[in-house]
């Protein structure tokens, strides 16, 4: 089992940048694929980006492709989401999630979730 804690959210103006971090407990972080999701007010939780256990494979939603970058540091048990050129429609609670995996597949069920961090983009 893994526990996840997100950080780095906040208020930013449109066009600005933020970097979210998600730190996992335990010593088996490298055995998990990691994903970022977000939930805007009154809407469902949507996939944003994912990275394989090795870091070699990444996958993005069309809405953030070219603006967001997911990365991981297995030595620090941390996954990052670099968000650039932020738009008001990026306003949401951002969640990281983990899925046990030893393949490069990323469209898989994510079993473990953090509590979320709020990102607000003002126009």
């Amino acid at each position: 089992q893994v526990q996840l804690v997100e950080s780095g959210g906040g208020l930013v103006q449109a066009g600005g940048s933020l970097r979210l971090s998600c730190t996992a407990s335990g010593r088996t972080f490298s055995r998990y694929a990691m994903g970022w999701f977000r939930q805007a007010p009154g809407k469902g939780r949507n996939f944003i980006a994912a990275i394989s256990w090795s870091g070699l494979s990444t996958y993005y939603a069309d809405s953030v492709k070219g603006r967001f970058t997911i990365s991981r540091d297995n030595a620090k048990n941390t996954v990052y989401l670099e968000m650039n050129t932020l738009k008001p429609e990026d306003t949401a609670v951002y969640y990281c999630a983990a899925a046990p995996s030893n393949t490069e597949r990323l469209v898989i069920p994510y079993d473990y979730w953090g509590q979320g961090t709020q990102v607000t983009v003002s126009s």
Side-chain angles (χ1 to χ4, degrees):
Q1 191 167 353
V2 62
Q3 293 183 324
L4 305 171
V5 179
E6 302 96 336
S7 61
L11 174 64
V12 64
Q13 289 188 331
S17 299
L18 279 176
R19 187 176 81 157
L20 305 183
S21 300
C22 173
T23 301
S25 64
R27 293 177 288 181
T28 59
F29 178 71
S30 62
R31 297 181 185 177
Y32 292 86
M34 299 298 297
W36 285 97
F37 296 73
R38 68 186 181 189
Q39 186 167 16
K43 297 187 178 181
R45 189 174 298 185
N46 293 320
F47 169 80
I48 293 300
I51 188 167
S52 62
W53 68 274
S54 67
L56 294 177
S57 299
T58 57
Y59 182 61
Y60 297 91
D62 288 343
S63 59
V64 305
K65 199 173 296 182
R67 299 189 298 124
F68 291 11
T69 302
I70 189 170
S71 62
R72 68 188 296 160
D73 186 338
N74 286 347
K76 295 183 178 180
N77 281 13
T78 301
V79 62
Y80 305 96
L81 186 68
E82 184 75 33
M83 306 185 295
N84 298 313
T85 319
L86 283 161
K87 306 174 182 179
E89 51 264 43
D90 294 318
T91 295
V93 177
Y94 283 70
Y95 300 90
C96 73
S101 174
N102 59 1
T103 73
E104 296 299 306
R105 292 178 59 200
L106 295 172
V107 183
I108 52 179
Y110 287 80
D111 299 323
Y112 304 100
W113 295 83
Q115 293 299 308
T117 185
Q118 176 71 47
V119 172
T120 303
V121 184
S122 63
S123 57

